[in-house]
Amino acid sequence: MTTVFPKDEDTWDSGRTCSPTAAPELAFSALTEADLDAIMDLEKRVFTDQWTREAMITELNNPCAFYVVGRSDGRIVGYGGEWIIMDEAHITSLAVEPEARGKRFGERLLIALLQEARYRGARRATLEVRIGNKPAVALYEKYGFRSVAIRKKYYQSDGEDALVMWVNDLFCPEVSDLLNQTFGAEAAP
């Protein structure tokens, strides 16, 4: 299956995300096994419930999965992943280095995931997020996600609840306008 993002050393044009004056440069590439040491380290620093290396290797071989890394100054500062099944995308992970937060890296990774989902034919998207993660909830709401349920004690490490959020139309004018405004005229259809 063709993806918007290259699989090897090439990177997706980071200029599509926003102008350099608005935020630091962020280059995207598909996650590869060579990135796993950095991703596992990031997982330990930002999540109390982490993916295992074995699970990530399985994900790299999952034809329904897509994982992207974001690099700034040549260093991985974040990554995101999703499963795309039929016309639905399930965002499985979105992480940004603590010292790199506040620079729109998480937002640009989310946009990359939503663009890839649209490119692959997804019309809707879902995710779970910690109920107490107000910045993440606000970001997801900005891109059309709405809370539809609560998964009680979803996070095993501390028993925190998760909000289940959905955006029911990735092509609705509000979401499309946000993605096109951020990406400009080069956005994928």
Side-chain angles (χ1 to χ4, degrees):
M1 186 173 277
T2 305
T3 64
V4 170
F5 300 94
K7 288 284 187 189
D8 298 312
E9 65 280 346
D10 297 329
T11 57
W12 189 53
D13 178 15
S14 63
R16 290 178 60 189
T17 57
C18 71
S19 70
T21 58
E25 185 175 325
L26 186 64
F28 295 102
S29 62
L31 189 142
T32 67
E33 201 164 337
D35 299 320
L36 287 183
D37 287 342
I39 297 304
M40 294 295 93
D41 185 52
L42 176 59
E43 282 274 325
K44 288 177 191 166
R45 284 184 281 120
V46 301
F47 295 130
T48 55
D49 296 291
Q50 301 105 28
W51 286 76
T52 65
R53 184 179 198 87
E54 294 75 25
M56 289 302 298
I57 290 170
T58 299
E59 287 298 287
L60 290 175
N61 295 305
N62 177 352
C64 296
F66 173 73
Y67 285 83
V68 62
V69 296
R71 288 180 173 82
S72 182
D73 294 326
R75 186 176 63 85
I76 291 176
V77 294
Y79 89 101
E82 65 189 341
W83 298 325
I84 303 165
I85 302 169
M86 309 266 305
D87 67 343
E88 293 181 356
H90 184 140
I91 295 174
T92 58
S93 195
L94 185 61
V96 175
E97 292 278 359
E99 65 275 5
R101 292 181 183 159
K103 299 177 182 176
R104 297 186 61 214
F105 292 152
E107 182 172 8
R108 290 184 277 168
L109 285 163
L110 175 64
I111 290 166
L113 293 172
L114 294 176
Q115 285 288 34
E116 183 70 11
R118 285 169 35 133
Y119 179 79
R120 291 190 187 193
R123 299 211 50 89
R124 304 166 18 122
T126 187
L127 55 81
E128 292 90 11
V129 60
R130 284 182 177 273
I131 203 163
N133 190 344
K134 302 300 182 200
V137 171
L139 172 64
Y140 300 139
E141 287 175 341
K142 176 180 176 178
Y143 284 88
F145 285 87
R146 299 294 173 250
S147 299
V148 298
I150 295 175
R151 293 199 200 282
K152 294 288 187 186
K153 301 181 192 238
Y154 181 77
Y155 294 96
Q156 296 176 3
S157 62
D158 59 8
E160 186 173 356
D161 297 342
L163 284 178
V164 179
M165 301 183 80
W166 277 91
V167 58
N168 285 315
D169 186 356
L170 292 173
F171 292 90
C172 74
E174 297 80 12
V175 173
S176 290
D177 287 350
L178 276 170
L179 295 176
N180 290 334
Q181 174 185 350
T182 304
F183 275 105
E186 297 180 52

